[in-house]
Amino acid sequence: MGAEVVIEGLTKSFGKQAIWRDVTLNLPPGEVSVMLGPSGTGKSVFLKSMIGLLKPDKGKCEINGTDIVRCSERKLYETRKLFGVLFQDGALFGSMNLYDNVAFPLREHTKKSETEVRKIVLEKLELTGLSGAEDKLPGEISGGMRKRAGLARALVLDPEIILCDEPDSGLDPVRTAYLSQLLIDLNAQIDATILIVTHNINLARTVPDNIGMLFRKELVMFGPREVLLTSDEPVVEQFLNGRRLGPIGMSEEKDSAQMALEQEQADAGHHDGSTEDLRGIVPQLQPTPGLPERQGAIRRKDRVVQVLHTLPEPAREGIIASLTPEERRHYGIPEPAVTAGGRTQVQGNLPAGDVADLPGSPAWPSAEQSAPTQPLRPRRGGA
Amino acid sequence: MSSRSATVPGLGMLRETGKLFALGLDISRGLFQRPFQLREFIQQAWFIASVTILPTALVAIPFGAIISLQFGSLASQLGAESYTGAGSVLATVQQAAPLVTALLVAGAGGSAICADIGARTIREEIDAMEVLGVSAVQRLIVPRVLACMLVAVLLNGMVSVIGVLGGYFFNVVLQGGTPGAYLASFSALAQLPDLWVGEIKALIFGFLAAVVASYRGLNPPPGPKGVGDAVNQSVVITFLLLFVVNVVMTLIYLQLVPPKLG
Ligand SMILES: Nc1ncnc2c1ncn2[C@@H]1O[C@H](COP(=O)(O)OP(=O)(O)OP(=O)(O)O)[C@@H](O)[C@H]1O
Ligand SMILES: [Mg+2]
């Protein structure tokens, strides 16, 4: 089982510049989480604090019970061996070719023979689509390849926690889709706890079990994916839909004058940058057929059902809709009267009944049984 | 950086110095930790030697010549021609050789180390290594420091030999000294501890140059330009540091080891 990460009251500043304060969250073992946030809100700094590369001012970060912030150096190095980290631009060793880069952790930490090392390295390179590029130096390959090589190196020791800093930046959409699938498959195979920092909304909607968001030096929210995906929070809505209208500006915060001006322009018909409302719950990516079921996902169901009553209405409905009838019986949850599971929200003012049903997916069996009458939540505003 | 320490002047410098010492301690501890990175050590020693040998040799000849000429003319004015050889040898072996070595190890070797480590730092290679559970100090810095110390000691030997030979040549050929007197005075004033102290100085200078270079390399100002600045600073800081340390060590030596002609 993957390691559990408990973060409490973590605060970080550089000199006078506060980056974020009082971040409290819990990465449950074996689950996949995503951290969203506008550029420059300190997501990379957050990852680096989690592995003890940067020292937070306050708070604690416990990995399997070891507080990274305060433990001894020896303990820190021990704990770091549990991690596989993909840095924002790969961070490959420039003087070694890809093969040696990926082999590095194996040679440093294991007593494997060179043939075993070779087998593992080639396997990981193949997994990330880099077969044939073993002899290239990091300076001789594209940014996307560097990224994938960085991932291969992060995976080579079968880590219990995988941290990915923007795995998708510099990758084309197709490779990103493969990468998402790769992460989910990995999670199913080795049950590692995964935290992904990304700007990619599609990845954030389909991959994780939990989503969090950093904004204005705070953790705006962190919780089951359904909560953030159906959130009313203006920041979340703006970020998910990628529009200019809202609290996030070009520099991190917007003043009210700018906000009013933009609202005025938008009301006058000026395009606000977004296309359609991307909020709403979409089916989660599943492991490739043939792989074992994700243990993390099973544990998550138990966990989420227990806190179900504390979640906001739309999220609760979404979660209930995602359970099979057997599971509902198992947990003693009554059949939902109305569900709109399996339906993404579509922009437009169609009467709810006229919105086309998406092709039924097995994850949403109840969608046909009960009359699908209304979307999770009416769209807000006329933006 | 500076805005933080603006309240108490000099606090920033103290902090940096403290961190430098901390790194020095870490490295000293690392010298005794296994596994020892033999390959990296040999590669680095070879590299540092290859960038320093030629310039050192070229600097050593004129250095020996200057000392010899200056000392020769001074000695002849005082009527102490017979001590010319001894005097210039002492000056070369004890002072000139370690300093020439230090300047070149810092200027050529240290700057290369600082640039290399600095580039790795801004490309997050150092972070990546730490995250893979490998101590960068142990894996990268310690072998470089050792290599620098080794090369400094060897270069010091080389500069001593070249300096003495150069001094002999200039004294005998240009100033009309007699070979016999030059060689005879050798043993009148010079003694073995003079050579030792030169080598010990070189060893310490090599250590300091490498530690300062690594420190600046591991903590460069942000950005690629920062690495350039770091290299520049590391050379300047090392020079200043070495001259100060040289004065201190010379004073200690003169106190501890009695001169031969008491
Ligand atoms: N070593 C450092 N020293 C001082 N300030 C830093 C340092 N590293 C990061 N910062 C500051 O911290 C803030 C957050 O940086 P960070 O790289 O974490 O952003 P991010 O959320 O990862 O952005 P992006 O999405 O663009 O990668 C920035 O304002 C940056 O200037
Ligand atoms: Mg970042």
Side-chain angles (χ1 to χ4, degrees):
Chain A
M1 189 162 79
E4 181 171 25
V5 183
V6 179
I7 295 177
E8 261 173 43
L10 214 59
T11 301
K12 174 75 193 163
S13 53
F14 288 110
K16 286 203 192 77
Q17 184 195 9
I19 305 295
W20 27 254
R21 49 181 159 306
D22 226 1
V23 173
T24 298
L25 58 85
N26 199 338
L27 301 183
E31 293 187 19
V32 183
S33 307
V34 154
M35 182 66 78
L36 297 172
S39 252
T41 41
K43 303 182 297 300
S44 301
V45 171
F46 182 68
L47 287 192
K48 286 184 186 169
S49 306
M50 272 182 69
I51 30 179
L53 284 176
L54 292 173
K55 203 164 171 48
D57 312 338
K58 272 210 300 269
K60 66 173 188 181
C61 170
E62 280 185 3
I63 317 285
N64 278 351
T66 310
D67 186 359
I68 284 289
V69 183
R70 256 171 291 275
C71 68
S72 71
E73 192 158 324
R74 176 185 300 262
K75 198 96 187 133
L76 182 62
Y77 279 111
E78 271 316 301
T79 313
R80 277 180 183 161
K81 290 182 197 164
L82 304 177
F83 280 93
V85 182
L86 171 60
F87 282 87
Q88 193 154 354
D89 35 26
L92 299 174
F93 303 130
S95 54
M96 302 180 190
N97 64 21
L98 291 195
Y99 181 90
D100 289 333
N101 258 292
V102 179
F104 181 84
L106 288 171
R107 289 176 179 156
E108 289 292 326
H109 291 311
T110 67
K111 299 222 173 344
K112 289 189 165 44
S113 70
E114 204 49 31
T115 33
E116 283 172 291
V117 169
R118 182 165 190 81
K119 189 170 141 279
I120 300 176
V121 170
L122 292 183
E123 180 202 341
K124 299 296 177 204
L125 283 174
E126 163 143 32
L127 202 62
T128 45
L130 289 170
S131 302
E134 299 95 66
D135 298 329
K136 293 238 164 61
L137 286 173
E140 302 169 344
I141 56 177
S142 78
M145 287 167 85
R146 270 202 287 280
K147 203 127 222 186
R148 285 182 280 155
L151 185 63
R153 188 181 64 187
L155 299 179
V156 84
L157 285 179
D158 287 337
E160 290 187 28
I161 311 173
I162 302 176
L163 305 179
C164 296
D165 200 347
E166 302 191 15
D168 50 87
S169 72
L171 283 189
D172 59 85
V174 178
R175 257 59 169 270
T176 306
Y178 274 110
L179 189 99
S180 307
Q181 187 67 55
L182 174 65
L183 288 172
I184 286 292
D185 288 355
L186 263 171
N187 179 259
Q189 284 164 319
I190 61 179
D191 199 17
T193 309
I194 302 183
L195 178 62
I196 307 168
V197 161
T198 181
H199 298 293
N200 186 314
I201 298 305
N202 200 29
L203 190 151
R205 291 163 83 212
T206 54
V207 174
D209 301 306
N210 308 293
I211 311 183
M213 182 158 173
L214 278 174
F215 179 62
R216 283 201 188 145
K217 313 190 192 313
E218 310 246 336
L219 186 68
V220 181
M221 51 171 65
F222 185 88
R225 61 196 284 269
E226 290 86 356
V227 174
L228 192 125
L229 288 177
T230 59
S231 170
D232 267 341
E233 195 79 40
V235 198
V236 176
E237 184 184 357
Q238 180 190 7
F239 197 82
L240 286 182
N241 291 327
R243 74 162 80 102
R244 290 194 306 280
L245 223 50
I248 310 174
M250 190 64 171
S251 60
E252 191 170 336
E253 284 174 38
K254 241 185 236 180
D255 50 28
S256 42
Q258 173 76 8
M259 227 152 140
L261 177 68
E262 282 176 4
Q263 183 66 54
E264 207 175 281
Q265 289 171 344
D267 289 343
H270 182 57
H271 199 300
D272 71 359
S274 68
T275 46
E276 54 190 311
D277 195 349
L278 290 176
R279 284 172 309 152
I281 302 165
V282 293
Q284 195 177 3
L285 210 58
Q286 297 300 315
T288 308
L291 289 180
E293 202 174 343
R294 291 178 48 221
Q295 294 303 307
I298 299 173
R299 286 192 296 268
R300 183 187 107 105
K301 253 176 217 148
D302 289 345
R303 189 172 64 80
V304 171
V305 167
Q306 270 175 12
V307 296
L308 203 56
H309 58 281
T310 63
L311 301 180
E313 185 66 31
R316 198 182 325 162
E317 282 174 12
I319 292 170
I320 293 176
S322 72
L323 299 174
T324 62
E326 297 86 73
E327 283 169 340
R328 262 179 238 137
R329 265 194 301 283
H330 171 74
Y331 291 122
I333 299 171
E335 291 291 310
V338 175
T339 89
R343 156 101 46 87
T344 43
Q345 293 203 356
V346 179
Q347 185 169 25
N349 297 326
L350 281 177
D354 294 348
V355 177
D357 271 323
L358 290 177
S361 76
W364 311 88
S366 60
E368 297 91 51
Q369 301 165 5
S370 46
T373 47
Q374 72 183 64
L376 269 179
R377 211 165 25 72
R379 265 183 61 79
R380 290 152 27 91
Chain B
M1 283 269 150
S2 55
S3 65
R4 202 181 345 158
S5 51
T7 43
V8 185
L11 196 66
M13 213 175 89
L14 265 183
R15 187 181 289 124
E16 294 285 309
T17 316
K19 285 194 207 154
L20 179 68
F21 268 88
L23 180 69
L25 280 181
D26 273 353
I27 294 173
S28 312
R29 209 154 23 111
L31 293 178
F32 303 101
Q33 274 168 3
R34 301 304 97 171
F36 180 66
Q37 301 292 337
L38 189 65
R39 241 174 74 123
E40 187 89 14
F41 169 70
I42 294 174
Q43 277 175 357
Q44 287 300 319
W46 183 250
F47 169 71
I48 298 174
S50 68
V51 294
T52 47
I53 282 186
L54 188 63
T56 310
L58 291 180
V59 173
I61 297 171
F63 235 92
I66 294 172
I67 290 178
S68 169
L69 290 175
Q70 185 73 54
F71 203 85
S73 83
L74 199 68
S76 68
Q77 286 170 47
L78 295 174
E81 284 97 337
S82 56
Y83 284 123
T84 308
S88 58
V89 166
L90 270 187
T92 306
V93 171
Q94 269 195 37
Q95 299 296 338
L99 277 181
V100 169
T101 308
L103 295 188
L104 282 145
V105 165
S111 59
I113 292 179
C114 183
D116 178 28
I117 301 287
R120 288 173 192 249
T121 305
I122 62 164
R123 282 204 310 260
E124 296 186 317
E125 280 186 30
I126 303 286
D127 283 355
M129 195 172 269
E130 293 282 328
V131 168
L132 290 171
V134 176
S135 156
V137 168
Q138 169 72 14
R139 185 74 171 60
L140 296 177
I141 310 290
V142 166
R144 281 170 172 71
V145 171
L146 277 178
C148 222
M149 290 163 73
L150 175 73
V151 172
V153 169
L154 295 182
L155 281 183
N156 185 57
M158 194 181 88
V159 177
S160 300
V161 172
I162 294 180
V164 170
L165 289 182
Y168 175 83
F169 174 80
F170 279 93
N171 184 258
V172 171
V173 176
L174 292 185
Q175 291 185 315
T178 55
Y182 193 90
L183 291 178
S185 67
F186 242 65
S187 48
L189 281 179
Q191 46 184 344
L192 203 55
D194 298 332
L195 184 64
W196 287 132
V197 81
E199 292 289 31
I200 291 175
K201 274 185 186 173
L203 194 73
I204 293 179
F205 290 169
F207 177 79
L208 289 179
V211 170
V212 172
S214 321
Y215 175 73
R216 289 313 296 164
L218 287 174
N219 305 284
K225 181 170 179 303
V227 176
D229 294 347
V231 173
N232 185 319
Q233 291 165 8
S234 95
V235 173
V236 175
I237 295 172
T238 314
F239 279 7
L240 294 178
L241 200 61
L242 293 189
F243 278 97
V244 172
V245 170
N246 185 36
V247 169
V248 174
M249 287 185 62
T250 307
L251 285 178
I252 293 177
Y253 174 76
L254 291 180
Q255 285 299 318
L256 288 186
V257 181
K260 205 165 180 184
L261 291 183

